[in-house]
């Protein structure tokens, strides 16, 4: 069960990061919803999110022990 969840989370994070990287301007503009209105801050934030999402996807796929907890923290912060 845990492995299946890790695979799905890795796929979701990988797809999310890849889609943000595919259209970074649209992803950056969407950060206005979260109160990030400065264009430079949006670009920096979106590329940081891309890096974090792809790194966590790779860590989950590799079976790194802390990856599941870090992913839960990231998704929890998105919820807040």
């Amino acid at each position: 069960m845990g492995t299946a969840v890790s695979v799905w989370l890795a796929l979701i994070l990988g797809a999310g990061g890849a889609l943000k990287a595919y259209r970074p301007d649209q992803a950056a503009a969407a950060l206005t919803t979260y109160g990030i209105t400065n264009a430079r801050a949006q670009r920096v934030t979106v590329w940081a999110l891309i890096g974090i999402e792809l790194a966590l996807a790779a860590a989950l796929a590799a079976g790194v022990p802390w990856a599941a907890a870090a992913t839960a923290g990231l998704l929890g912060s998105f919820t807040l």
Side-chain angles (χ1 to χ4, degrees), residues 43-65:
R43 284 191 306 276
V44 169
T45 303
V46 81
W47 284 106
L49 285 172
I50 291 167
I52 291 167
E53 288 178 2
L54 294 178
L56 283 175
L60 281 168
V64 177

Side-chain angles (χ1 to χ4, degrees), residues 12-44:
I12 290 166
L13 285 171
L19 289 171
K20 284 179 186 71
Y22 179 66
R23 296 195 180 235
D25 293 334
Q26 288 181 349
L31 292 173
T32 303
T33 304
Y34 298 100
I36 303 172
T37 56
N38 180 287
R40 184 170 190 263
Q42 288 175 340
R43 284 191 306 276
V44 169

Side-chain angles (χ1 to χ4, degrees), residues 34 72-80:
Y34 298 100
L74 178 68
L75 296 177
S77 69
F78 288 166
T79 302
L80 293 175

